Amino acid sequence: MTGTLATTTLSDTDWSQDPRFDTVIHRRKTRSVRVRDIWIGSEHPVVVQSMINEDTLDVEGATAGILRLHQTGCEIIRLTVPSLAHAKAVGEIRQRLEASGASVPLVADVHHNGMKIALEVAKHVDKVRINPGLFVFDKPDPNRTEFTPDEVAAIGERITETFEPLVRSLKEQDKALRIGVNHGSLAERMLFSYGDTPLGMVESALEFIRICDRLDFHNIVISMKASRAPVMLAAYRLMAHRMDAEGFNYPLHLGVTEAGDGDYGRIKSTAGIATLLADGLGDTIRVSLTEAPEKEIPVCYGILQSLGLRKTMVEYVACPSCGRTLFNLEEVLQQVRSATDHLTGLDIAVMGCIVNGPGEMADADYGYVGKTPGTISLYRGREEIRRVPEADGVRALIDLIKEDGRWVDP
C-alpha cells in the first residue's frame, strides 16, 4: 500500500471477549492448599506473608516478633530453622503462641542438607519451605567441566532418597510444603545443564514437584524468587506455563527477594509482584524489605488493594493538583483521611475542581469537590448532594456518610 497505514481493528464483540482488555483480573486456576486455618489458592483471597528476623533460638524474642507481625495483619509467618536446636525451639515457640491464644500459621525455612531438621520442625509448624538448590547440597567444584549421565542419575537418586521422608511426613500430618527456588542458589548441576537462567529455576522446582506427585502429595506452593524483577517475572511465567502443561495446578508464592529498603525497595517489589498479579498469577505474596518485617505488610495490602484483589482499607481518589485547584488539596486530603480511614470498604474522592472532578471520581462512593472558591460540593457517587462552605466540608462529608448508614465509630 502507498500513502496509507495498515491498521488492525477489533470489533466490539472481539474487544469484550479478549481477556487483555478486561477490567477484572482473572486468576490462574489452582488447587487449594491449607496452612493451618489459612487457605492458599485461586478460590481464596491472595494471602499476605512475612518473616521474622529474630533468631529462632531466642524463643521469647521470636515469639514476640511473630505476635507483632500477626497483629499488623500478616496471615502466615516464616522463621528460619538452620539447625536441630532451632527446630526444637520452634516447638517451644508454638507452645507460647498457643498459650497466648494466637492461632498463627507458621512456616519453617530449611536450607542446607536439611532433612533431619525438616522432619523435626514439621512436628511444630504448618508448612515447611525447602530450597531445591540447597536441600541436598554439594559444595561446587571449581575444577568441574561437566556432569556425566551417571553423576546426574546418582544425584537424582540421592535427592529422592533424602526428600521422600519429608514428603511422607507432611502428607501424614496433612501439612503443606513450599518448594522455594532462589535464582542465586541453583544447584551446580542445574547451572551446568541450563545456565543461570529462569529455565534452570523451573527445572529445579519440577524435579521436586514430580517426586511429590509420584507420592500423591499435593499440598504444595511454589516460588521462583530473584533479586531482579525481570528474572523473577520470566521465571514465574515459565513455571506457570510448565506446570499447566504437565497438569500441576499448584499455587504460586510471589516475591522479589532482597529488594532493599525505602521507596526503591517498595517500588521494586511492586514492579515484580503487581505485574504478575495483574496477569492472574500469584496466590500469596511477600514484600522483602531490609526493614522491620511489620513495614512489609502495608505494602502487600496496598498492592492487593490497588489491583482490586483485596479490600482492606479506604480507597482514596485524589487529583495531583494544578492551577485550577480551589483549596489546599494535600492538607484537605489528610483531614479527610484522618476522619474516615477506619471505614474499610469505602472509596472516597477528594478533587480540587469540577473540571475533571465528577468524572474522574465516578467510581467513588463519596466525593469532596472544589465547586467555587470557598465552596465544596459533596457527591454520592455521580450525584451532587449538597454544597457547603469549605470550612464545613469535612464535617458535612461525615454527616452524609452517617445519613447513609455507612458510618461506624472509630
Side-chain angles (χ1 to χ4, degrees):
M1 292 184 293
T2 303
T4 60
L5 293 176
T7 60
T8 301
T9 60
L10 288 172
S11 69
D12 290 342
T13 301
D14 292 335
W15 183 91
S16 65
Q17 294 178 354
D18 192 322
R20 293 177 299 167
F21 309 123
D22 204 325
T23 59
V24 176
I25 292 172
H26 297 279
R27 292 170 63 188
R28 168 181 168 264
K29 295 297 182 184
T30 76
R31 68 185 304 118
S32 295
V33 175
R34 184 173 63 84
V35 184
R36 201 173 183 87
D37 55 355
I38 296 290
W39 288 89
I40 299 173
S42 59
E43 299 302 312
H44 313 280
V46 177
V47 175
V48 170
Q49 301 196 32
S50 185
M51 183 175 187
I52 63 168
N53 52 21
E54 287 85 2
D55 187 335
T56 310
L57 288 177
D58 176 7
V59 172
E60 183 176 348
T63 303
I66 290 168
L67 290 173
R68 281 196 307 273
L69 260 178
H70 187 57
Q71 288 162 4
T72 63
C74 185
E75 294 166 310
I76 296 177
I77 298 173
R78 184 159 50 111
L79 64 172
T80 187
V81 189
S83 72
L84 275 174
H86 286 81
K88 291 174 181 176
V90 175
E92 297 181 52
I93 292 169
R94 172 62 80 192
Q95 290 176 3
R96 292 193 179 208
L97 291 172
E98 291 180 351
S100 73
S103 178
V104 185
L106 293 182
V107 182
D109 208 30
V110 179
H111 281 281
H112 292 78
N113 295 325
M115 178 187 69
K116 292 181 180 179
I117 298 169
L119 288 172
E120 171 62 29
V121 80
K123 304 172 188 175
H124 313 300
V125 297
D126 310 291
K127 182 167 72 170
V128 173
R129 182 267 171 136
I130 60 105
N131 181 338
L134 300 176
F135 191 70
V136 175
F137 179 72
D138 293 314
K139 188 175 180 179
D141 181 355
N143 298 314
R144 180 183 290 279
T145 58
E146 65 174 354
F147 277 87
T148 68
D150 287 345
E151 287 176 315
V152 170
I155 294 173
E157 290 175 6
R158 189 150 55 93
I159 287 173
T160 299
E161 181 182 322
T162 305
F163 187 46
E164 278 194 2
L166 174 61
V167 174
R168 295 184 189 281
S169 175
L170 293 172
K171 183 177 180 180
E172 289 171 3
Q173 298 180 74
D174 192 25
K175 293 182 176 180
L177 171 74
R178 171 150 72 99
I179 298 174
V181 178
N182 273 13
H183 179 232
S185 57
L186 291 179
E188 185 182 31
R189 172 177 51 107
M190 289 294 173
L191 292 173
F192 268 82
S193 298
Y194 305 102
D196 190 11
T197 65
L199 178 58
M201 297 171 67
V202 170
E203 291 294 341
S204 184
L206 284 171
E207 181 173 35
F208 282 71
I209 290 172
R210 292 178 184 126
I211 295 171
C212 293
D213 184 63
R214 181 169 53 76
L215 297 173
D216 195 28
F217 175 70
H218 304 287
N219 292 337
I220 303 170
V221 179
I222 310 298
S223 65
M224 297 271 115
K225 293 191 177 183
S227 58
R228 291 180 54 235
V231 175
M232 170 258 200
L233 293 171
Y236 275 106
R237 286 167 172 158
L238 183 57
M239 187 77 245
H241 175 76
R242 290 291 298 277
M243 282 201 295
D244 290 347
E246 296 193 32
F248 298 137
N249 59 342
Y250 300 122
L252 291 171
H253 169 123
L254 303 185
V256 179
T257 192
E258 300 152 354
D261 65 351
D263 289 345
Y264 185 66
R266 288 161 171 78
I267 292 167
K268 188 176 182 180
S269 290
T270 301
I273 294 170
T275 299
L276 290 170
L277 289 171
D279 285 346
L281 300 179
D283 307 283
T284 178
I285 66 173
R286 189 231 171 152
V287 169
S288 300
L289 298 177
T290 312
E291 300 179 25
E294 303 92 273
K295 294 187 178 181
E296 298 175 356
I297 308 309
V299 187
C300 291
Y301 282 115
I303 291 171
L304 296 175
Q305 174 129 346
S306 69
L307 292 170
L309 290 170
R310 298 219 27 192
K311 192 79 169 178
T312 58
M313 60 189 84
V314 178
E315 182 89 15
Y316 292 98
V317 179
C319 62
S321 187
C322 70
R324 296 189 301 265
T325 301
L326 296 174
F327 54 82
N328 187 324
L329 190 62
E330 186 174 355
E331 181 180 300
V332 171
L333 176 59
Q334 293 308 315
Q335 292 173 0
V336 171
R337 188 191 304 274
S338 177
T340 61
D341 65 359
H342 63 290
L343 301 175
T344 299
L346 287 187
D347 292 348
I348 299 175
V350 180
M351 309 297 285
C353 73
I354 63 168
V355 174
N356 293 323
E360 297 295 339
M361 68 175 200
D363 292 332
D365 297 300
Y366 297 97
Y368 180 112
V369 181
K371 182 70 175 180
T372 59
T375 302
I376 300 301
S377 287
L378 296 179
Y379 283 74
R380 180 192 297 119
R382 294 176 178 268
E383 181 184 3
E384 183 181 19
I385 303 300
R386 63 181 64 109
R387 301 176 187 177
V388 299
E390 182 182 335
D392 300 332
V394 176
R395 169 48 57 189
L397 174 63
I398 293 171
D399 290 342
L400 177 59
I401 297 171
K402 287 181 176 180
E403 289 171 19
D404 291 347
R406 304 185 73 175
W407 178 267
V408 293
D409 290 329

